[in-house]
Amino acid sequence: MTLSFSQVFLQKAAHPGDVRSIVRSSSHQLEPFVPISQRAVLSPTLPQREFLLRLPCGVSAEIFFAQLASIPTLIVPMDQAIISKVFDTFGRGGDRLSINLNPATCFKSKLLDFLRTAPEHDPRNFCIEITEQGWLEVRHNPQLLKNLSDAGYMLALDDFHPDYPMDWERLYAVANFISIVKFPYQVAEILREGPSAKKENMISLIKTAREFYPEIITVMEGVRRTGDHTLIGLLKDIGIDVVQISSYSPALNGSSPHAQPIVRDKRDLELIH
C-alpha cells in the first residue's frame, strides 16, 4: 500500500523531539470570531481568533492530526509543543485566542502543571478547545476540566455535529465545564446548501442543543468571508452567537478550490470589521 505524503511525514516525526521541531518550524493562521448575538457582543472573555497550525511542506493539518492517533505517544508532546508556540508568540499580548487540544492532553492530570511552566501568558486570554480525535480512548475526569476553568482558562467543545449520537455524549460529558460549543464547517454547509429536509432537521437539532444548554455560547465554523449574508441571518434566527470566518472558501465558477470569492454584497464587508 502506498503511503500518503502526510503518513510519510508523520512517520518521520517518530520522537517527541522531532514533533517539537516540526511545530517550531511550522507557520500558523488565525481565523477570526465575529459575534452576531447581543450576549456574544457583550461578553468580555470570548476568544477573538483561533490559532491554527500550518505544517511545512503543504501537509494538511487536518489529515495529519487525524493520523497522529496512530502514534498515541506523540499526541501529548505535539499538543505541548503547540501550547509553547502559541504562548511564546502571543502570551505577552492582549489577544484572546483559542487553541485545539486532544482529549488525551485535556484529560491528562499534569496538563495544568505544564501550563504553569509554559511561556508567560494570562490564562484568561486563552480558550482550550477539546477536539473530537481520540475521545473514546480517554478516561474523562471532569475534575481536571474544573481545575483548568478555575485557573482561568475558558473551555470549548470543538466540532460538535448534532447528527452524531457520539457527539451528544461528548457534549453531555463536558457541558458543566465548558463555555463554548463549536459546530463544524460541515454543519454550515448543510445550512447553506443542503437538501431542504436535511437542512430543517439540522435547524431542529441546533435549537435542541440551545434549549438543553442555554448558557453555553454557540460558534459556527466555516462561514465564508464573503457571500454568506443569508446564512448569517439564519444563524442569528436559530440561536448561534458567533461565526468563525473560514480561511478558505469553496471554488466559485470553476476556480481553484482555495480561491477567495469576490465581494458580492457590501454587507459582507461589515462581517470582518
Side-chain angles (χ1 to χ4, degrees), residues 164-210:
Y164 303 158
M166 180 58 197
D167 274 10
W168 284 96
E169 294 181 22
R170 290 174 58 220
L171 178 55
Y172 178 76
V174 301
N176 290 335
F177 309 99
I178 63 172
S179 301
I180 297 170
V181 62
K182 300 184 68 180
F183 297 92
Y185 72 89
Q186 292 93 338
V187 173
E189 289 179 348
I190 291 172
L191 295 176
R192 181 189 296 114
E193 51 199 25
S196 178
K198 194 171 184 179
K199 179 176 178 179
E200 291 303 317
N201 180 61
M202 185 59 66
I203 289 173
S204 176
L205 289 170
I206 291 173
K207 288 182 176 180
T208 297
R210 293 287 293 111

Side-chain angles (χ1 to χ4, degrees), residues 23 51 53 65 77-87 100:
V23 172
F51 177 96
L53 197 68
F65 285 113
M78 170 67 81
D79 279 352
Q80 290 177 342
I82 292 173
I83 291 169
S84 295
K85 183 179 182 71
V86 172
F87 291 169
N100 294 300

Side-chain angles (χ1 to χ4, degrees), residues 12 40 62 77 81-82 94 99 116 134 147 159 162 169 196 251-252 256:
K12 292 180 179 179
E62 182 177 4
I82 292 173
I99 54 176
R116 287 169 176 156
N147 292 343
D159 286 345
E169 294 181 22
S196 178
L252 293 180
S256 163

Side-chain angles (χ1 to χ4, degrees), residues 11 33-34 42-44 47 88 91 101 115 148 155 171 203 218 269:
Q11 286 186 351
F33 288 66
V34 180
L42 296 176
S43 174
D88 190 54
L101 296 183
L115 291 169
L148 290 170
L155 301 176
L171 178 55
I203 289 173
T218 52
L269 291 173

